Amino acid sequence: MPRLAPDGVRCKENRQTLGTMERKLLSMYIQDRKKDRTQKYVSSFALPISIVSVAAGIGIAGYFMAPSILQDAKDKLKEVKENFQNLTNTIAGKKPIDPVTGKSGGIQTALCVSGPAEGNVVVNQAAGVPVIGGLLGWLNNFITTANALGDNVWVGVWGNFNKGARNIDELTEGWYYLDIETGGPKY
């Protein structure tokens, strides 16, 4: 349908008009395009939102689980450290860590409990020196288990820090009899 200029003579533009059916189809087309645009926006944000929500879930779970995981790691590290310290103490002829007191480092000593040498002690002089202290500790243990020195009965004791001790009165306080079967102190 032509649209005339105000003078009524010349044609300024031609306008196309739509019927009812065309207007309904155009309206449906516009609504479908809006839905497509909305779906594109939603789908473009779906991946980042899902990543953030998964990360938040992992973060919350980690927040509540981290203390127990860290405590387990600390306990395991402490156990490894104690085992290593026990190994180095054993190699050096010193007492392993006592599970009751938590102390370590006593020197293995042989104590004569009966016989002509009663009250005398033989201290592992090399205690603290790796390998040599362990070998002399083994020899000291052999003396106590085999009673290899004549008529005397020897027992092992742990915890003597006085390497110069020659008899029982010179032993430092806090020593224990050695349990031959377990290798630990006898209470």
Side-chain angles (χ1 to χ4, degrees), residues 92-94 105-112 119-128 132-133 135-141 143-144 149 154-172 175:
K94 295 173 93 179
I107 299 170
Q108 188 176 8
T109 304
L111 169 64
C112 183
N120 288 342
V121 294
V122 177
V123 180
N124 182 358
Q125 295 295 318
I132 297 171
L135 289 174
L136 287 178
W138 175 84
L139 180 64
N140 203 343
N141 196 17
I143 290 170
T144 60
L149 299 177
W154 296 83
V155 295
V157 294
W158 283 110
N160 176 32
F161 293 96
N162 182 5
K163 287 186 180 181
R166 296 284 180 235
N167 70 35
I168 194 168
D169 296 333
E170 296 172 353
L171 293 178
T172 57
W175 54 271

